[in-house]
Amino acid sequence: MLALPRGGVPVAAEVALALHAPLDLLLVRKIGAPWNPEFAAAAVVEGEPPDLVVNEEATGVDPAHLQHGLQEAVREIARRRQVYLAGRSPRSLTGATVVVVDDGIATGTTLRAALMALRRRHPARLVLAVPVAPADTLAALRPQVDRIVCLATPEPFEAIGLHYRDFHQLSDDEVRTELARVH
């Protein structure tokens, strides 16, 4: 079981506990567009080298902006691995069934990057599990996974946070607490 921090960690913790599965993190960072930091121009996934996936819908983004965002993302990924997991290296996924969990999907850019990076690690099966996502985004991600589990695909899709009673930005301490509940 792999969670995308921060928001995916509490969701993945519940799933991992229910399935009696180990929980690890897949550290990925969005690079926001210069005109709207919430719109993912690209995403970076930890690895050697880090994987950079550019959102095809983010046309006209200056390559210098992406390079600067890549450098910042790599620093934040390293910080999170140290803070959340005391620097422990990612687990081997070769031959394993891997379930990737997040709190929801909006554009899918971050998850697309994560799934591309995971395929490089040679899992036997790759499952994407999210509570909520737009149907068209799920359809675009379907070729990258063996199975998708999604509880709701509202039409029209407006925002992930609308489907939660509490959708606050988790702190580092909250992430560590959730991880400790599973281990």
Side-chain angles (χ1 to χ4, degrees):
M1 178 93 35
L2 293 175
L4 273 70
R6 300 182 191 178
V9 175
V11 178
E14 293 300 327
V15 176
L17 287 169
L19 297 176
H20 306 287
L23 176 60
D24 201 353
L25 300 180
L26 179 60
L27 296 168
V28 58
R29 295 286 297 166
K30 170 179 67 179
I31 298 174
W35 60 86
N36 179 358
E38 291 303 310
F39 179 78
V44 180
V45 183
E46 72 176 327
E48 289 302 324
D51 284 310
L52 174 68
V53 176
V54 178
N55 183 352
E56 295 131 17
E57 296 176 18
T59 58
V61 176
D62 182 6
H65 174 78
L66 293 177
Q67 185 59 38
H68 177 73
L70 173 65
Q71 293 168 357
E72 285 184 4
V74 167
R75 280 192 297 274
E76 178 60 13
I77 286 169
R79 184 196 75 79
R80 287 182 176 194
R81 179 141 301 274
Q82 184 59 42
V83 169
Y84 301 155
L85 300 167
R88 179 177 53 76
S89 296
R91 291 185 171 119
S92 172
L93 304 177
T94 302
T97 295
V98 177
V99 180
V100 179
V101 180
D102 201 1
D103 55 2
I105 306 171
T107 66
T109 301
T110 304
L111 265 170
R112 188 170 33 260
L115 296 171
M116 288 175 66
L118 285 174
R119 281 289 181 205
R120 221 176 59 179
R121 297 183 190 176
H122 309 291
R125 286 186 43 122
L126 190 52
V127 178
L128 173 60
V130 293
V132 62
D136 60 337
T137 301
L138 289 178
L141 292 171
R142 192 167 309 284
Q144 293 185 265
V145 296
D146 298 298
R147 182 163 184 214
I148 293 177
V149 178
C150 181
L151 302 179
T153 55
E155 272 300 322
F157 184 86
E158 294 182 31
I160 296 167
L162 295 177
H163 303 278
Y164 284 85
R165 275 184 253 138
D166 178 4
F167 196 66
H168 72 278
Q169 179 76 357
L170 292 175
S171 69
D172 287 343
D173 286 339
E174 288 172 303
V175 170
R176 284 193 302 262
T177 298
E178 289 295 318
L179 291 170
R181 269 191 334 122
V182 179
H183 295 280

